[in-house]
Amino acid sequence: MNYIASINAYENLSAPENTNGVMVTGESIAETNTQWLLMQSLLLLEPETPDDPRLKQLQECQTASWLKKLRNNSQKQLCVRLPDGPIETLLPSLASDFDQLSEFMGCTEEWLRARVKAVWDKHPDLSYYMIISNEMLFESMLCGLFDAAQTCGIEKMSILLPLVNRCREAQQQHLFIAQCAIDYDILCDVGIEIATPRAIYFAGDLAKFTDVIVFQVDELCWLLYGKAQNDGRNQYGFHETPFNEFDDIGIGTLLGVAITQVRRSNPDVRICASGKYVLTEKGLQFCKELGINSVIASPQIYSNTTKPDKKEELY
């Protein structure tokens, strides 16, 4: 299965009837109040065995959520982008949160507050790795997705890991996905998003655990220069602001370093660049010279195997 062909769009398609594939995203790690409570309880009181009833209940809830997203896309080339919501929103913070969760778990508010502090101390950055490292929790969430895919009759799909920032994180997710694919008899390949300057410098290691790497160029630019997405000020006094045009010096150097590592580590991996900056004339030319296989925009993807109507054709 060609992973790139399966990423035909992000979620809002302008003309879904004219596309071969669709990207389905998990907007939130937990989309109902029951899921929130289950996730919170499993993070604060980790399951000791796979038979924990909370895991089964969470898996059923996750299956129901994914079914709503997958039902209308089962006949398309499907790419599923796992959720990337901020983990801190899963932890109780308001008095009402503690009241509701303590009732759900049958514990005291004092015990809950102590556990929240312990989780903060263990995972100060509150990254998605907090969930991945809780292996039985992550496996339950993943099985919910595969249950839904199997129910919809999906025989093959791609899974995109968002905002990967650790090699161990990518390796663990890849292993879990590979095992689920075997258990459910679903062909599945894996892609990795790189969206932080930090991840650029071990892109070669990440390439060992993926079929495709997607560089989120807009995110890289905002993080590199410390600029909010909707901040229109040219606060750095650039003659050619990197927020209006592709930055071939700053971002370009980062991408060059990363792609050199990736090609050396895994010559077969496909490389994408995503975002509005790479769709400028300067960005497209840079991608072509650097050997990037495809550029992704919403809603279309343009690659050397797809002819766009506009000028965004790389080859």
Side-chain angles (χ1 to χ4, degrees), residues 122-141:
K122 184 177 180 181
H123 301 279
D125 60 349
L126 286 179
S127 67
Y128 193 64
Y129 189 70
M130 187 169 95
I131 286 181
I132 300 166
S133 61
N134 190 329
E135 294 185 0
M136 283 181 278
L137 168 57
F138 183 69
E139 185 175 11
S140 176
M141 296 174 63

Side-chain angles (χ1 to χ4, degrees), residues 86-303:
I87 304 301
E88 63 265 26
T89 60
L90 288 174
L91 299 179
S93 56
L94 303 175
S96 57
D97 297 336
F98 282 99
D99 287 342
Q100 189 177 28
L101 186 57
S102 61
E103 181 180 354
F104 179 80
M105 295 181 64
C107 61
T108 65
E109 181 178 328
E110 182 181 9
W111 181 89
L112 271 183
R113 290 187 180 276
R115 286 301 304 154
V116 170
K117 183 179 184 305
V119 169
W120 273 92
D121 291 342
K122 184 177 180 181
H123 301 279
D125 60 349
L126 286 179
S127 67
Y128 193 64
Y129 189 70
M130 187 169 95
I131 286 181
I132 300 166
S133 61
N134 190 329
E135 294 185 0
M136 283 181 278
L137 168 57
F138 183 69
E139 185 175 11
S140 176
M141 296 174 63
L142 201 58
C143 285
L145 166 60
F146 276 85
D147 279 340
Q150 191 174 66
T151 299
C152 293
I154 294 171
E155 298 179 350
K156 56 184 178 180
M157 64 179 176
S158 301
I159 294 181
L160 183 62
L161 311 181
L163 312 180
V164 174
N165 208 35
R166 290 179 173 92
C167 285
R168 182 169 174 78
E169 176 182 334
Q171 183 180 24
Q172 282 186 279
Q173 290 185 85
H174 191 279
L175 289 173
F176 277 121
I177 291 169
Q179 187 58 55
C180 275
I182 293 171
D183 293 343
Y184 286 84
D185 194 24
I186 295 176
L187 296 176
C188 187
D189 51 10
V190 179
I192 287 176
E193 277 186 353
I194 291 182
T196 65
R198 179 180 184 275
I200 287 286
Y201 290 101
F202 51 86
D205 293 327
L206 290 174
K208 300 173 184 176
F209 311 112
T210 187
D211 303 296
V212 64
I213 285 181
V214 179
F215 291 102
Q216 295 285 7
V217 175
D218 293 357
E219 291 280 353
L220 283 168
C221 190
W222 300 326
L223 289 173
L224 180 64
Y225 293 105
K227 177 182 182 296
Q229 177 177 356
N230 57 357
D231 185 353
R233 298 172 297 168
N234 183 9
Q235 63 198 69
Y236 300 98
F238 292 116
H239 177 65
E240 295 182 1
T241 171
F243 309 118
N244 293 329
E245 179 61 272
F246 180 78
D247 174 25
D248 59 337
I249 297 176
I251 296 299
T253 300
L254 285 179
L255 290 178
V257 168
I259 290 172
T260 298
Q261 293 182 31
V262 168
R263 293 301 186 203
R264 185 182 300 127
S265 173
N266 183 358
D268 296 326
V269 75
R270 290 183 62 82
I271 299 176
C272 296
S274 173
K276 65 181 182 180
Y277 301 135
V278 296
L279 292 178
T280 64
E281 184 176 352
K282 186 177 180 181
L284 290 167
Q285 181 61 32
F286 181 88
C287 290
K288 181 178 180 179
E289 292 173 357
L290 210 58
I292 291 175
N293 301 108
S294 308
V295 293
I296 305 173
S298 180
Q300 288 290 338
I301 175 169
Y302 309 121
S303 71

